[in-house]
Amino acid sequence: ETKQLIKYCAITDEDPYVQQTAIQALAKSWSNHQEIRDWLKNLAQSTHDSYLRETVVVAIAEAWGKNDQTLKIMQSLAEDEEESYVRGIALQTIVKKWPKNPETLILLRQRAFLDPDEYVRSIALQALAVEWGEQPQVVIWLKEAAFFDQDEYVRSIAIQYLSKRWKGREDIFKFLKEIVKTDENNYIRGIAIQELAKEWQEYPEVLAMLQELSVTDTSVTIRRIAIQAIAREWPQETSIFLWLQKRALSAEDLEIRIVALQSLLQYGEHNIALLPWLKQLILTDSVLEVRVIALKELAKHIQTKPDLGIWLAEIAQQDEHNSMRSVAMQELVKQTANSNSDLLQFLIERATQDPFERRYPFESNPRQIALELMVKYYPQALETKSLLEDRAINDPDEEVKTFAKEQLAILINKQI
């Protein structure tokens, strides 16, 4: 009666969790009962409910032992099941329980090239590389998939496993370089670049090749990937730090300059030359985006280098670009709000004395930024309410007046 009740719940219950629990109980508790084995097998092959099929396959895979009957069921599901995810589970079960079975090699080869779903093909390729890598034909198969599969994810899996599984083989090294040089898909080229940097960096020509790509390749995507790979895989090299500095300063494309700068910040943060260089970049570079990135990074070090706070305050007061003054103010407050007793007075001065004159509607007014920071960090201060009252009447920028009036109304409502 218990068995029949559980079977009934497995098929008819509207709650998927109840169905799953019932199927798992049947597969585990009656794993040696032929009737239940046949019933679960038929259910996996006949139900139109894809979730139910998936649940049955998972339960069978987990509960049934390594026997021929289970293998045949899984082989059938891996080849003939309509739902790709179920085919994938069946294939993974076969690889886990029967990895060295000669039939498994044949099935994996078939699924790697004939399955219509990229997820299943990728599972098959991974299993071939891991379990059957000693077979000479497997390298050939993965190369074919890396070149000819129609899906870039499958191609990337093949490339990654070729690089890792057969690291050090000259033919694989040449194969990866060929993809970088000739493939028309930049995503695939990028995968090959990353693998060369990560797995083949002991080859001296790899670094030189990536540096050349970062400068001469016609694709900005490839130039970006090459720079990021160099920074990530050679972080301790002083020459790379200097090279990234040069790319951040002189690359023709702004995106490449920013990528080089961000890579330098990410992987060169412990270099003692970084902070002085960032200061110089902030003071001398002509591109606002570059200066802002450098300033935000510099601000992160205020806690350990308090003199940077004074320097940021000077930028907030004196820089000729209103966006730089605004960002410097925001970063200074963010980093020192809990430790700087003079900050409120500094914001009052910025809210009243900044020389900003609006020319375009989208411009950032440092006076308004200062008010926003006062409202956020010092909402209870008498100076905040008093200054909002003053700016609502006296600020020459209409947008600041409107903002001050709105915030003043909010403060008054909170006090009522």
Side-chain angles (χ1 to χ4, degrees), residues 108-127:
L108 290 174
R109 169 74 172 87
Q110 179 196 59
R111 292 299 92 199
F113 290 93
L114 298 181
D115 199 279
D117 184 81
E118 64 276 7
Y119 165 72
V120 178
R121 297 200 303 277
S122 69
I123 290 173
L125 288 171
Q126 292 174 59

Side-chain angles (χ1 to χ4, degrees), residues 272 275-276 298-311:
I272 59 173
L275 296 188
L298 199 68
K300 296 176 184 177
H301 299 268
I302 287 180
Q303 301 301 327
T304 56
K305 296 186 178 298
D307 60 307
L308 288 178
I310 299 171
W311 195 81

